[in-house]
mmCIF file of all heavy atoms in Angstrom:
data_model
loop_
_atom_site.group_PDB
_atom_site.id
_atom_site.type_symbol
_atom_site.label_atom_id
_atom_site.label_comp_id
_atom_site.label_asym_id
_atom_site.label_seq_id
_atom_site.Cartn_x
_atom_site.Cartn_y
_atom_site.Cartn_z
ATOM 1 N N THR A 1 89.712 112.846 79.430
ATOM 2 C CA THR A 1 90.787 112.064 79.146
ATOM 3 C C THR A 1 90.272 110.735 78.576
ATOM 4 O O THR A 1 89.222 110.167 79.026
ATOM 5 C CB THR A 1 91.750 111.767 80.453
ATOM 6 O OG1 THR A 1 92.852 111.026 80.057
ATOM 7 C CG2 THR A 1 90.955 111.135 81.545
ATOM 8 N N ASP A 2 91.061 110.024 77.655
ATOM 9 C CA ASP A 2 90.657 108.737 77.028
ATOM 10 C C ASP A 2 91.431 107.676 77.618
ATOM 11 O O ASP A 2 91.135 106.555 77.292
ATOM 12 C CB ASP A 2 90.827 108.882 75.503
ATOM 13 C CG ASP A 2 92.174 109.188 75.027
ATOM 14 O OD1 ASP A 2 93.231 108.751 75.691
ATOM 15 O OD2 ASP A 2 92.321 109.856 74.077
ATOM 16 N N HIS A 3 92.351 107.917 78.648
ATOM 17 C CA HIS A 3 93.107 106.852 79.300
ATOM 18 C C HIS A 3 93.601 107.429 80.509
ATOM 19 O O HIS A 3 94.004 108.478 80.738
ATOM 20 C CB HIS A 3 94.377 106.650 78.410
ATOM 21 C CG HIS A 3 95.116 105.295 78.767
ATOM 22 N ND1 HIS A 3 95.922 105.164 79.902
ATOM 23 C CD2 HIS A 3 95.366 104.284 78.073
ATOM 24 C CE1 HIS A 3 96.465 104.054 79.954
ATOM 25 N NE2 HIS A 3 96.131 103.408 78.859
ATOM 26 N N ILE A 4 93.380 106.493 81.600
ATOM 27 C CA ILE A 4 93.795 106.771 82.869
ATOM 28 C C ILE A 4 94.749 105.728 83.443
ATOM 29 O O ILE A 4 94.411 104.493 83.332
ATOM 30 C CB ILE A 4 92.546 106.849 83.926
ATOM 31 C CG1 ILE A 4 91.888 108.223 83.594
ATOM 32 C CG2 ILE A 4 93.038 106.993 85.319
ATOM 33 C CD1 ILE A 4 90.645 108.442 84.444
ATOM 34 N N SER A 5 95.817 106.186 84.025
ATOM 35 C CA SER A 5 96.757 105.129 84.782
ATOM 36 C C SER A 5 96.574 105.537 86.191
ATOM 37 O O SER A 5 96.966 106.567 86.706
ATOM 38 C CB SER A 5 98.175 105.359 84.349
ATOM 39 O OG SER A 5 98.349 104.952 82.941
ATOM 40 N N ALA A 6 95.994 104.423 86.995
ATOM 41 C CA ALA A 6 95.893 104.791 88.459
ATOM 42 C C ALA A 6 96.652 103.834 89.176
ATOM 43 O O ALA A 6 96.446 102.674 89.169
ATOM 44 C CB ALA A 6 94.270 104.471 88.691
ATOM 45 N N TYR A 7 97.649 104.402 89.932
ATOM 46 C CA TYR A 7 98.670 103.698 90.592
ATOM 47 C C TYR A 7 98.528 103.770 92.023
ATOM 48 O O TYR A 7 98.280 104.839 92.687
ATOM 49 C CB TYR A 7 100.033 104.193 90.232
ATOM 50 C CG TYR A 7 100.434 104.183 88.770
ATOM 51 C CD1 TYR A 7 100.485 105.269 88.027
ATOM 52 C CD2 TYR A 7 100.740 102.883 88.215
ATOM 53 C CE1 TYR A 7 100.793 105.186 86.641
ATOM 54 C CE2 TYR A 7 101.021 102.789 86.780
ATOM 55 C CZ TYR A 7 101.093 104.018 86.110
ATOM 56 O OH TYR A 7 101.463 103.813 84.756
ATOM 57 N N ASN A 8 98.711 102.611 92.692
ATOM 58 C CA ASN A 8 98.755 102.443 94.102
ATOM 59 C C ASN A 8 100.089 103.042 94.557
ATOM 60 O O ASN A 8 101.129 102.682 94.067
ATOM 61 C CB ASN A 8 98.659 101.006 94.558
ATOM 62 C CG ASN A 8 98.435 100.735 95.911
ATOM 63 O OD1 ASN A 8 97.734 99.821 96.276
ATOM 64 N ND2 ASN A 8 98.964 101.575 96.867
ATOM 65 N N LEU A 9 100.101 103.988 95.514
ATOM 66 C CA LEU A 9 101.380 104.533 96.062
ATOM 67 C C LEU A 9 102.123 103.391 96.682
ATOM 68 O O LEU A 9 101.697 102.547 97.375
ATOM 69 C CB LEU A 9 101.008 105.491 97.194
ATOM 70 C CG LEU A 9 102.305 106.082 97.985
ATOM 71 C CD1 LEU A 9 103.216 106.839 97.127
ATOM 72 C CD2 LEU A 9 101.892 106.786 99.216
ATOM 73 N N THR A 10 103.455 103.300 96.308
ATOM 74 C CA THR A 10 104.370 102.402 96.869
ATOM 75 C C THR A 10 105.531 103.169 97.516
ATOM 76 O O THR A 10 105.949 104.110 97.009
ATOM 77 C CB THR A 10 104.961 101.406 95.905
ATOM 78 O OG1 THR A 10 105.564 102.117 94.797
ATOM 79 C CG2 THR A 10 103.903 100.507 95.314
ATOM 80 N N TYR A 11 105.976 102.663 98.658
ATOM 81 C CA TYR A 11 107.039 103.313 99.321
ATOM 82 C C TYR A 11 108.398 102.782 98.914
ATOM 83 O O TYR A 11 108.913 101.688 99.278
ATOM 84 C CB TYR A 11 106.855 103.051 100.826
ATOM 85 C CG TYR A 11 105.611 103.760 101.382
ATOM 86 C CD1 TYR A 11 104.524 103.204 101.274
ATOM 87 C CD2 TYR A 11 105.748 105.019 101.868
ATOM 88 C CE1 TYR A 11 103.224 103.912 101.799
ATOM 89 C CE2 TYR A 11 104.703 105.723 102.523
ATOM 90 C CZ TYR A 11 103.454 105.205 102.308
ATOM 91 O OH TYR A 11 102.291 105.773 102.825
ATOM 92 N N GLU A 12 109.012 103.432 97.938
ATOM 93 C CA GLU A 12 110.181 102.952 97.274
ATOM 94 C C GLU A 12 111.461 103.465 98.210
ATOM 95 O O GLU A 12 111.368 104.471 98.718
ATOM 96 C CB GLU A 12 110.336 103.553 95.898
ATOM 97 C CG GLU A 12 109.150 103.174 94.841
ATOM 98 C CD GLU A 12 109.222 101.855 94.402
ATOM 99 O OE1 GLU A 12 110.175 101.174 94.718
ATOM 100 O OE2 GLU A 12 108.360 101.385 93.743
ATOM 101 N N GLU A 13 112.491 102.590 98.142
ATOM 102 C CA GLU A 13 113.602 102.911 98.872
ATOM 103 C C GLU A 13 114.225 104.159 98.214
ATOM 104 O O GLU A 13 114.011 104.556 97.089
ATOM 105 C CB GLU A 13 114.643 101.739 98.800
ATOM 106 C CG GLU A 13 114.261 100.544 99.607
ATOM 107 C CD GLU A 13 115.353 99.437 99.684
ATOM 108 O OE1 GLU A 13 116.464 99.865 99.653
ATOM 109 O OE2 GLU A 13 114.886 98.288 99.870
ATOM 110 N N ASP A 14 115.076 104.873 99.017
ATOM 111 C CA ASP A 14 115.777 106.175 98.603
ATOM 112 C C ASP A 14 114.712 107.180 98.386
ATOM 113 O O ASP A 14 114.936 108.080 97.432
ATOM 114 C CB ASP A 14 116.596 105.876 97.377
ATOM 115 C CG ASP A 14 117.737 107.052 97.244
ATOM 116 O OD1 ASP A 14 118.035 107.647 98.177
ATOM 117 O OD2 ASP A 14 118.010 107.243 96.132
ATOM 118 N N THR A 15 113.587 107.200 99.074
ATOM 119 C CA THR A 15 112.634 108.399 98.888
ATOM 120 C C THR A 15 112.263 108.841 100.336
ATOM 121 O O THR A 15 112.433 108.078 101.268
ATOM 122 C CB THR A 15 111.296 107.931 98.153
ATOM 123 O OG1 THR A 15 110.651 106.989 99.109
ATOM 124 C CG2 THR A 15 111.636 107.333 96.859
ATOM 125 N N GLU A 16 111.860 110.111 100.467
ATOM 126 C CA GLU A 16 111.438 110.628 101.691
ATOM 127 C C GLU A 16 110.252 109.872 102.297
ATOM 128 O O GLU A 16 110.178 109.703 103.492
ATOM 129 C CB GLU A 16 111.227 112.160 101.532
ATOM 130 C CG GLU A 16 110.881 112.831 102.938
ATOM 131 C CD GLU A 16 111.914 112.569 103.947
ATOM 132 O OE1 GLU A 16 113.114 112.617 103.623
ATOM 133 O OE2 GLU A 16 111.518 112.415 105.122
ATOM 134 N N PHE A 17 109.355 109.464 101.357
ATOM 135 C CA PHE A 17 108.225 108.766 101.936
ATOM 136 C C PHE A 17 108.557 107.417 102.602
ATOM 137 O O PHE A 17 108.088 107.025 103.616
ATOM 138 C CB PHE A 17 107.173 108.462 100.787
ATOM 139 C CG PHE A 17 106.114 109.486 100.653
ATOM 140 C CD1 PHE A 17 106.316 110.828 101.044
ATOM 141 C CD2 PHE A 17 104.957 109.180 100.069
ATOM 142 C CE1 PHE A 17 105.360 111.729 100.836
ATOM 143 C CE2 PHE A 17 103.970 110.163 99.927
ATOM 144 C CZ PHE A 17 104.050 111.443 100.275
ATOM 145 N N PHE A 18 109.618 106.673 102.053
ATOM 146 C CA PHE A 18 109.996 105.398 102.571
ATOM 147 C C PHE A 18 110.696 105.654 103.989
ATOM 148 O O PHE A 18 110.410 104.995 104.907
ATOM 149 C CB PHE A 18 111.054 104.803 101.656
ATOM 150 C CG PHE A 18 111.526 103.432 102.105
ATOM 151 C CD1 PHE A 18 110.796 102.242 102.041
ATOM 152 C CD2 PHE A 18 112.772 103.333 102.653
ATOM 153 C CE1 PHE A 18 111.351 101.142 102.466
ATOM 154 C CE2 PHE A 18 113.317 102.110 102.981
ATOM 155 C CZ PHE A 18 112.567 100.898 103.027
ATOM 156 N N ARG A 19 111.527 106.816 104.047
ATOM 157 C CA ARG A 19 112.222 107.060 105.323
ATOM 158 C C ARG A 19 111.087 107.439 106.305
ATOM 159 O O ARG A 19 111.174 107.031 107.472
ATOM 160 C CB ARG A 19 113.153 108.323 105.086
ATOM 161 C CG ARG A 19 114.430 107.829 104.314
ATOM 162 C CD ARG A 19 115.475 108.877 104.328
ATOM 163 N NE ARG A 19 115.136 110.027 103.367
ATOM 164 C CZ ARG A 19 115.405 109.964 102.123
ATOM 165 N NH1 ARG A 19 116.021 108.987 101.491
ATOM 166 N NH2 ARG A 19 114.972 110.904 101.291
ATOM 167 N N SER A 20 110.000 108.195 105.878
ATOM 168 C CA SER A 20 108.899 108.388 106.864
ATOM 169 C C SER A 20 108.141 107.076 107.354
ATOM 170 O O SER A 20 107.819 107.028 108.486
ATOM 171 C CB SER A 20 107.810 109.287 106.205
ATOM 172 O OG SER A 20 108.310 110.579 106.186
ATOM 173 N N LEU A 21 108.032 106.195 106.394
ATOM 174 C CA LEU A 21 107.583 104.845 106.803
ATOM 175 C C LEU A 21 108.315 104.191 107.849
ATOM 176 O O LEU A 21 107.908 103.512 108.772
ATOM 177 C CB LEU A 21 107.401 104.056 105.515
ATOM 178 C CG LEU A 21 106.683 102.639 105.767
ATOM 179 C CD1 LEU A 21 105.151 102.956 106.074
ATOM 180 C CD2 LEU A 21 106.762 101.782 104.349
ATOM 181 N N LEU A 22 109.655 104.182 107.677
ATOM 182 C CA LEU A 22 110.529 103.483 108.600
ATOM 183 C C LEU A 22 110.448 104.185 109.870
ATOM 184 O O LEU A 22 110.677 103.669 111.036
ATOM 185 C CB LEU A 22 112.011 103.588 108.005
ATOM 186 C CG LEU A 22 112.250 102.689 106.761
ATOM 187 C CD1 LEU A 22 113.785 102.869 106.455
ATOM 188 C CD2 LEU A 22 111.921 101.250 107.067
ATOM 189 N N ARG A 23 110.273 105.528 109.845
ATOM 190 C CA ARG A 23 110.195 106.296 111.123
ATOM 191 C C ARG A 23 108.933 106.153 111.963
ATOM 192 O O ARG A 23 108.627 106.611 113.015
ATOM 193 C CB ARG A 23 110.439 107.716 110.937
ATOM 194 C CG ARG A 23 111.927 108.115 110.606
ATOM 195 C CD ARG A 23 112.114 109.594 110.685
ATOM 196 N NE ARG A 23 111.305 110.375 109.722
ATOM 197 C CZ ARG A 23 111.667 110.770 108.546
ATOM 198 N NH1 ARG A 23 112.843 110.487 108.050
ATOM 199 N NH2 ARG A 23 110.933 111.406 107.679
ATOM 200 N N GLY A 24 107.904 105.372 111.185
ATOM 201 C CA GLY A 24 106.647 105.175 111.864
ATOM 202 C C GLY A 24 105.622 106.367 111.591
ATOM 203 O O GLY A 24 104.503 106.414 112.151
ATOM 204 N N GLU A 25 106.021 107.384 110.698
ATOM 205 C CA GLU A 25 105.298 108.541 110.496
ATOM 206 C C GLU A 25 104.159 108.238 109.431
ATOM 207 O O GLU A 25 103.136 108.933 109.425
ATOM 208 C CB GLU A 25 106.107 109.696 110.056
ATOM 209 C CG GLU A 25 107.101 110.107 110.974
ATOM 210 C CD GLU A 25 108.164 111.030 110.464
ATOM 211 O OE1 GLU A 25 108.057 111.346 109.224
ATOM 212 O OE2 GLU A 25 109.093 111.481 111.251
ATOM 213 N N LYS A 26 104.273 107.235 108.679
ATOM 214 C CA LYS A 26 103.271 106.828 107.682
ATOM 215 C C LYS A 26 103.057 105.333 107.849
ATOM 216 O O LYS A 26 103.888 104.550 108.437
ATOM 217 C CB LYS A 26 103.805 107.121 106.241
ATOM 218 C CG LYS A 26 103.753 108.631 106.062
ATOM 219 C CD LYS A 26 104.194 108.920 104.502
ATOM 220 C CE LYS A 26 104.067 110.405 104.116
ATOM 221 N NZ LYS A 26 104.778 111.212 105.091
ATOM 222 N N ARG A 27 101.918 104.866 107.378
ATOM 223 C CA ARG A 27 101.681 103.408 107.391
ATOM 224 C C ARG A 27 101.044 102.787 106.210
ATOM 225 O O ARG A 27 100.512 103.684 105.366
ATOM 226 C CB ARG A 27 100.641 103.091 108.614
ATOM 227 C CG ARG A 27 99.268 103.740 108.416
ATOM 228 C CD ARG A 27 98.375 103.513 109.536
ATOM 229 N NE ARG A 27 97.150 104.056 109.419
ATOM 230 C CZ ARG A 27 96.138 103.412 108.796
ATOM 231 N NH1 ARG A 27 96.323 102.072 108.393
ATOM 232 N NH2 ARG A 27 94.902 103.905 108.558
ATOM 233 N N GLN A 28 101.026 101.666 106.029
ATOM 234 C CA GLN A 28 100.399 100.941 104.826
ATOM 235 C C GLN A 28 99.414 100.018 105.277
ATOM 236 O O GLN A 28 99.569 99.301 106.354
ATOM 237 C CB GLN A 28 101.429 100.106 104.051
ATOM 238 C CG GLN A 28 102.407 101.024 103.261
ATOM 239 C CD GLN A 28 103.421 100.126 102.464
ATOM 240 O OE1 GLN A 28 104.260 99.392 103.070
ATOM 241 N NE2 GLN A 28 103.432 100.153 101.176
ATOM 242 N N ASP A 29 98.204 100.019 104.626
ATOM 243 C CA ASP A 29 97.085 99.150 105.051
ATOM 244 C C ASP A 29 96.597 98.450 103.849
ATOM 245 O O ASP A 29 95.872 99.116 103.021
ATOM 246 C CB ASP A 29 95.906 100.018 105.588
ATOM 247 C CG ASP A 29 94.821 99.211 106.204
ATOM 248 O OD1 ASP A 29 94.679 97.976 105.842
ATOM 249 O OD2 ASP A 29 94.062 99.628 107.070
ATOM 250 N N PRO A 30 96.913 97.159 103.614
ATOM 251 C CA PRO A 30 96.501 96.496 102.417
ATOM 252 C C PRO A 30 95.014 96.474 102.212
ATOM 253 O O PRO A 30 94.598 96.524 100.952
ATOM 254 C CB PRO A 30 97.115 95.055 102.607
ATOM 255 C CG PRO A 30 98.322 95.236 103.547
ATOM 256 C CD PRO A 30 97.950 96.414 104.508
ATOM 257 N N ASP A 31 94.265 96.373 103.255
ATOM 258 C CA ASP A 31 92.893 96.222 103.091
ATOM 259 C C ASP A 31 92.401 97.676 102.627
ATOM 260 O O ASP A 31 91.378 97.664 101.668
ATOM 261 C CB ASP A 31 92.192 96.043 104.497
ATOM 262 C CG ASP A 31 92.498 94.556 104.977
ATOM 263 O OD1 ASP A 31 92.576 93.678 104.117
ATOM 264 O OD2 ASP A 31 92.466 94.358 106.184
ATOM 265 N N GLU A 32 92.893 98.697 103.135
ATOM 266 C CA GLU A 32 92.522 100.105 102.656
ATOM 267 C C GLU A 32 92.935 100.291 101.159
ATOM 268 O O GLU A 32 92.121 100.735 100.433
ATOM 269 C CB GLU A 32 93.237 101.103 103.511
ATOM 270 C CG GLU A 32 92.736 102.552 103.202
ATOM 271 C CD GLU A 32 93.296 103.475 104.173
ATOM 272 O OE1 GLU A 32 94.462 103.993 103.845
ATOM 273 O OE2 GLU A 32 92.647 103.798 105.229
ATOM 274 N N ASP A 33 94.110 99.805 100.869
ATOM 275 C CA ASP A 33 94.548 99.792 99.411
ATOM 276 C C ASP A 33 93.546 99.187 98.582
ATOM 277 O O ASP A 33 93.152 99.552 97.423
ATOM 278 C CB ASP A 33 95.948 99.301 99.311
ATOM 279 C CG ASP A 33 97.003 100.039 100.070
ATOM 280 O OD1 ASP A 33 96.585 101.106 100.524
ATOM 281 O OD2 ASP A 33 98.149 99.652 99.913
ATOM 282 N N ALA A 34 93.002 98.055 98.992
ATOM 283 C CA ALA A 34 92.104 97.233 98.191
ATOM 284 C C ALA A 34 90.872 97.925 97.891
ATOM 285 O O ALA A 34 90.337 97.833 96.814
ATOM 286 C CB ALA A 34 91.887 95.901 98.785
ATOM 287 N N SER A 35 90.459 98.761 98.875
ATOM 288 C CA SER A 35 89.239 99.460 98.802
ATOM 289 C C SER A 35 89.350 100.582 97.756
ATOM 290 O O SER A 35 88.467 100.863 96.952
ATOM 291 C CB SER A 35 88.817 100.116 100.124
ATOM 292 O OG SER A 35 88.447 99.105 101.090
ATOM 293 N N PHE A 36 90.507 101.109 97.702
ATOM 294 C CA PHE A 36 90.780 102.229 96.679
ATOM 295 C C PHE A 36 90.802 101.522 95.269
ATOM 296 O O PHE A 36 90.161 102.112 94.187
ATOM 297 C CB PHE A 36 92.169 102.815 96.913
ATOM 298 C CG PHE A 36 92.089 103.908 97.850
ATOM 299 C CD1 PHE A 36 92.504 103.702 99.162
ATOM 300 C CD2 PHE A 36 91.784 105.209 97.559
ATOM 301 C CE1 PHE A 36 92.543 104.712 100.103
ATOM 302 C CE2 PHE A 36 91.763 106.162 98.559
ATOM 303 C CZ PHE A 36 92.176 106.015 99.743
#
């Protein structure tokens, strides 16, 4: 590939991931994100 778009996962409202975050099933770690 000659171009890569590498996106940090964000937990957007009105998504199942966001609802999981609110339920405590998923977590966000800014320090870990920075390592990626």
Side-chain angles (χ1 to χ4, degrees):
T1 180
D2 56 34
H3 191 289
I4 289 177
S5 297
Y7 297 108
N8 191 148
L9 171 68
T10 56
Y11 292 83
E12 303 285 354
E13 292 187 28
D14 197 31
T15 66
E16 183 54 41
F17 268 26
F18 182 74
R19 289 186 284 273
S20 286
L21 185 68
L22 294 181
R23 292 192 297 264
E25 298 167 358
K26 291 182 171 60
R27 66 181 183 87
Q28 288 180 295
D29 185 340
D31 292 334
E32 187 176 84
D33 292 358
S35 297
F36 279 98

